[in-house]
């Protein structure tokens, strides 16, 4: 026990009686909630002009996938082109081109990734889901969950049509990312979601979302 005076004031008593928590499980469309990821700092500028900067800041690596964090900044002189009545009306488009030609995030939200023409029917493509983000007056941040971890390297593809930024590619060294997966730390075991826990809400498309074409997402291993 510390002999220092309390820093925080006592919290107010709750208005309502607390309820019982539900069953905690890991869902395939989001990073596992019981794993501390390893962080690979990239600070990779993909687009850098006098008016727009778009970059991959870092990749948070889990035991079953990775969370790619992208950022974009807009010069005040260009902000009006990206703004609507309620803030930025259009966000940057983000995708991954895998080494085998698979396109993640190339289609409309909710569509399947674009597979190469010669891809075998048994190929299981990774899931690509926007997992949160935030935009301010001159900045947009986005997070993208990819699971399972792709084989080989990949190229990140960024574009922002409203600001005249064409599709721009930059290589991601995923060998470094895969190595970092061994440093992800499971805190305590949690089960994967079962079939009874998949409802219509599980498949509601978010911005840039692309689910596997089979319609049955893979959950990965326990963790």
């Amino acid at each position: 026990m510390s002999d220092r005076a309390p820093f925080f004031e006592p919290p107010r008593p709750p208005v309502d009686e607390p309820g019982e928590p539900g069953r905690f499980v890991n869902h395939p469309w989001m990073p596992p909630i019981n794993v501390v990821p390893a962080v690979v700092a990239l600070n990779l500028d993909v687009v850098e002009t006098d008016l727009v900067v778009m970059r991959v800041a870092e990749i948070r690596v889990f035991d079953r996938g990775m969370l790619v964090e992208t950022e974009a900044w807009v010069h005040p002189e260009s902000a009006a082109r990206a703004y609507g009545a309620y803030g930025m009306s259009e966000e940057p488009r983000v995708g991954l081109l895998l080494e085998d030609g698979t396109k993640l995030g190339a289609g409309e939200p909710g569509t399947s990734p674009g597979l190469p023409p010669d891809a075998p029917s048994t190929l299981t493509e990774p899931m690509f889901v926007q997992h949160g983000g935030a935009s301010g007056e001159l900045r947009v941040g986005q997070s993208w969950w990819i699971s399972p971890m792709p084989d080989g390297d990949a190229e990140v593809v960024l574009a922002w049509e409203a600001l005249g930024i064409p599709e721009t590619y930059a290589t991601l060294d995923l060998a470094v990312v895969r190595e970092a997966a061994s440093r992800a730390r499971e805190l305590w075991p949690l089960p994967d979601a079962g079939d009874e826990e998949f409802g219509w809400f599980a498949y509601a498309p978010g911005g840039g979302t692309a689910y596997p074409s089979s319609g049955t997402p893979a959950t990965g291993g326990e963790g």
Side-chain angles (χ1 to χ4, degrees):
M1 295 291 292
S2 171
D3 57 359
R4 301 179 67 171
F7 176 83
F8 296 106
E9 296 181 2
R12 296 179 180 179
V15 177
D16 300 317
E17 290 294 325
E20 289 294 323
R23 178 173 179 257
F24 295 104
V25 296
N26 279 321
H27 293 283
W29 58 88
M30 62 185 295
I33 58 176
N34 61 323
V35 175
V36 178
V39 179
V40 178
L42 294 183
N43 298 312
L44 174 64
D45 288 342
V46 181
V47 174
E48 187 174 8
T49 73
D50 292 339
L51 300 177
V52 182
V53 173
M54 302 170 67
R55 65 201 303 264
V56 180
E58 65 184 28
I59 297 179
R60 295 179 172 264
V61 191
F62 295 80
D63 57 341
R64 66 179 63 187
M66 61 182 181
L67 194 64
V68 178
E69 306 279 355
T70 61
E71 302 173 315
W73 282 265
V74 180
H75 191 284
E77 293 180 3
S78 291
R81 296 166 59 187
Y83 258 66
Y86 303 102
M88 290 192 181
S89 57
E90 178 187 301
E91 293 188 343
R93 295 194 69 176
V94 179
L96 280 185
L97 177 62
L98 305 187
E99 195 170 77
D100 66 359
T102 300
K103 297 178 180 179
L104 301 179
E108 292 297 319
T111 62
S112 301
L115 297 175
D118 57 349
S121 59
T122 56
L123 180 65
T124 301
E125 65 273 19
M127 180 177 294
F128 185 79
V129 183
Q130 185 169 357
H131 183 71
S135 62
E137 292 183 306
L138 299 174
R139 178 187 176 277
V140 177
Q142 298 168 297
S143 298
W144 301 89
W145 172 240
I146 297 98
S147 177
M149 187 77 68
D151 295 325
D153 288 335
E155 291 181 281
V156 63
V157 189
L158 301 182
W160 204 346
E161 184 177 352
L163 298 182
I165 303 299
E167 295 179 359
T168 307
Y169 294 73
T171 300
L172 298 178
D173 183 358
L174 294 188
V176 174
V177 175
R178 285 189 293 271
E179 187 277 329
S182 63
R183 303 197 301 272
R185 181 163 55 101
E186 182 183 271
L187 299 176
W188 37 73
L190 277 183
D192 290 323
D195 292 340
E196 72 279 2
E197 288 155 311
F198 287 102
W200 64 267
F201 56 86
Y203 303 98
T209 303
Y211 293 106
S213 56
S214 64
T216 305
T219 62
E222 289 290 334

